[in-house]
Amino acid sequence: MDLEKKLSFDREHIWHPYTSLLDPLPVYPVESAQGVRIRLASGQELVDGMSSWWAMIHGYNHPVLNQALATQSEKTSHVMFGGLTHEPAIDLAGILVRITPPGLDRVFFCDSGSVSVEVALKMALQYWQAKDQDSKKRFLCLMCGYHGDTFGAMSVSDPYTGIHSMYSGFLPQNIFAPAPECSFGERCAPDDLQAVEEIMAAHHQELAGFILEPVVQGAGGMRMYSPDYLARIRELCRKYQVILIADEIATGFGRTGKLFACEHAGITPDIMCLGKALTGGYLTMAATLCTYEIAETICRGDPGVFMHGPTFMANPLACSVSLASIRLLLDSGWKEKTARIQEQMQSELMPGQHIHGVRQVRVLGAIGVLEMHEQVPVGEIQKLFVSEGVWIRPFVNLIYIMPPYIMESRDLSRLTSAMLKAAKLIGS
């Protein structure tokens, strides 16, 4: 079957994310990828500004990660984790305990980011059941939050303006607080927390946990808020005996300029969700970490075990490449690289504030955002980006990039230049 026939089959039979089968957005066939470049079947190369949905922090086709997969595949590609264990899982858990905020020393491996959120919610629910507080079955969440596409994850994502609003009638009814208004770098004013504390005071007896994305709300709007707000939320959760769940799936492994976004506030959550960049973007895998107190309480209650067990839990290939990716990250000078990326994006994107139609420009770590007043016409702007030799995927009213950390200045300038050009076109 030639390429045109394959693309025709794709259009008629394959459902791409957030795309209609009746009137699909165009797709661009990829032949290969290397470093920060995606090579299309046409031979054109695109500078990747998305890290393939924020995961390919080391770029594509990295020899260290390739070797980790090849070496492990010669031993075993998969073995069930029930009743068995293996070195890649043990070593990976060890390094995760070492690098995450202190106190998160129990590790549960998952299949994907959404599943890690499901696991976190189940941990919180089972914790309170073990303490004979069965009334604590709801979660406090933030407006503009996004935690994944599975049902539990959808139930704690923004039910009104989020992408899952059509499912709201089928989901557990959780409680939502206003999204934080205090920007990154600002102090948190009392008014910023008044609504949250009022909710906790009124509902703490039914709240199992408070789940949030620390410092950066991702798919809910790429909103960046004050670390002081996060620190104050940590205090309120202790005061009202509510488990704090930090969803670091998008923010973990250096994306915000800290290894984990919780470090901006100097806090340790009770439960933390990791994913995306965990494997360097090579395979789907995630992890949910919790404190000893959470794990001990669950295991002392009925039925004495945590009730979850994915088929591909702790897959040896995924564990091996995750371990290699984290070691590569820690030895890569990632902090200097993300600081350089942040500085360059601030310099090159801030003039976008003066473009008609741009509502706000935001930069933090290796995240750069142009928020538009109007919704971005994705298909049209995607064609513009491809013609400019870059890969950027707009979302709703956002033109944003999360480049691989290995990106050089010249390639980053191509991305920021294309973003400004798109904003001017939309605003004209």
Side-chain angles (χ1 to χ4, degrees):
M1 188 184 297
D2 64 26
L3 182 57
E4 282 305 316
K5 288 182 179 178
K6 289 182 178 181
L7 287 174
S8 178
F9 181 89
D10 187 300
R11 282 191 297 271
E12 294 176 13
H13 298 280
I14 301 178
W15 226 325
H16 289 263
Y18 313 115
T19 299
S20 168
L21 275 178
L22 301 178
D23 184 24
L25 292 169
V27 294
Y28 300 87
V30 175
E31 177 188 87
S32 61
Q34 178 75 40
V36 302
R37 283 175 166 72
I38 298 170
R39 184 179 178 84
L40 301 182
S42 64
Q44 182 182 9
E45 290 191 343
L46 307 178
V47 176
D48 176 28
M50 308 305 294
S51 297
S52 276
W53 268 340
W54 325 344
M56 305 290 299
I57 56 176
H58 307 295
Y60 297 90
N61 204 18
H62 198 289
V64 172
L65 305 188
N66 291 351
Q67 186 60 53
L69 287 179
T71 300
Q72 182 58 44
S73 68
E74 293 174 356
K75 298 176 182 178
T76 179
S77 295
H78 182 59
V79 63
M80 66 184 290
F81 210 52
L84 299 172
T85 194
H86 48 81
E87 281 193 23
I90 296 168
D91 292 344
L92 176 58
I95 201 168
L96 288 175
V97 168
R98 178 166 64 85
I99 67 174
T100 52
L104 295 170
D105 54 11
R106 298 298 185 269
V107 183
F108 193 95
F109 292 116
C110 315
D111 308 69
S112 68
S114 290
V115 175
S116 76
V117 171
E118 301 285 341
V119 166
L121 301 180
K122 290 173 71 173
M123 281 182 177
L125 292 170
Q126 200 170 333
Y127 172 86
W128 292 115
Q129 288 175 4
K131 291 177 76 71
D132 294 323
Q133 297 192 44
D134 292 344
S135 63
K136 294 172 82 68
K137 292 181 177 179
R138 301 176 77 186
F139 290 89
L140 180 55
C141 328
L142 290 177
M143 298 296 295
C144 301
Y146 172 82
H147 301 283
D149 292 346
T150 50
F151 269 74
M154 287 193 294
S155 77
V156 292
S157 301
D158 190 320
Y160 306 111
T161 62
I163 60 177
H164 300 311
S165 58
M166 70 286 295
Y167 302 113
S168 59
F170 300 93
L171 299 173
Q173 298 301 300
N174 290 308
I175 302 172
F176 288 82
E181 294 295 336
C182 43
S183 299
F184 190 90
E186 295 180 352
R187 295 290 296 173
C188 180
D191 289 349
D192 293 321
L193 285 160
Q194 181 178 350
V196 175
E197 181 151 22
E198 287 175 355
I199 291 170
M200 283 196 180
H203 297 280
H204 65 92
Q205 292 182 336
E206 60 177 320
L207 289 177
F210 186 166
I211 184 169
L212 49 67
E213 301 152 280
V215 177
V216 179
Q217 293 185 293
M222 304 304 294
R223 303 176 77 255
M224 301 167 184
Y225 65 88
S226 170
D228 187 45
Y229 176 92
L230 180 59
R232 300 281 295 281
I233 291 295
R234 171 70 279 184
E235 293 171 2
L236 288 175
C237 285
R238 286 198 183 97
K239 177 180 178 180
Y240 290 101
Q241 293 190 305
V242 175
I243 290 172
L244 178 59
I245 303 170
D247 176 352
E248 290 254 18
I249 294 164
T251 55
F253 304 103
R255 180 57 66 179
T256 67
K258 298 284 188 181
L259 199 54
F260 298 97
C262 284
E263 295 175 24
H264 287 286
I267 65 135
T268 296
D270 301 299
I271 301 174
M272 176 182 281
C273 302
L274 302 176
K276 287 192 182 292
L278 174 61
T279 68
Y282 266 59
L283 291 170
T284 177
M285 180 160 182
T288 307
L289 283 72
C290 70
T291 63
Y292 173 73
E293 201 267 331
I294 295 286
E296 180 194 35
T297 301
I298 289 172
C299 294
R300 289 190 183 279
D302 185 32
V305 298
F306 178 55
M307 296 301 292
H308 198 89
T311 301
F312 290 96
M313 180 179 180
N315 171 265
L317 285 176
C319 287
S320 294
V321 76
S322 296
L323 188 61
S325 176
I326 294 172
R327 287 171 172 166
L328 185 63
L329 176 67
L330 297 178
D331 293 338
S332 69
W334 65 269
K335 199 164 191 176
E336 292 75 20
K337 289 178 180 178
T338 55
R340 176 187 56 78
I341 290 172
Q342 173 177 297
E343 183 179 5
Q344 183 175 344
M345 288 195 299
Q346 285 175 330
S347 173
E348 295 179 355
L349 288 179
M350 282 306 170
Q353 297 177 108
H354 306 295
I355 295 175
H356 179 72
V358 173
R359 182 178 180 274
Q360 192 178 46
V361 180
R362 298 189 289 274
V363 174
L364 179 64
I367 307 170
V369 184
L370 298 182
E371 181 181 349
M372 309 299 296
H373 284 290
E374 305 291 335
Q375 184 162 327
V376 177
V378 175
E380 176 186 350
I381 298 303
Q382 194 85 80
K383 289 179 181 178
L384 169 66
F385 286 140
V386 170
S387 71
E388 293 289 314
V390 300
W391 181 251
I392 300 173
R393 184 74 168 175
F395 182 69
V396 191
N397 66 328
L398 302 173
I399 303 171
Y400 74 95
I401 55 174
M402 287 191 173
Y405 304 162
I406 63 170
M407 183 161 289
E408 296 180 356
S409 296
R410 182 182 300 179
D411 287 331
L412 184 55
S413 291
R414 291 184 67 182
L415 292 172
T416 57
S417 175
M419 290 172 72
L420 295 177
K421 186 171 184 177
K424 289 176 182 176
L425 178 63
I426 296 167
S428 62

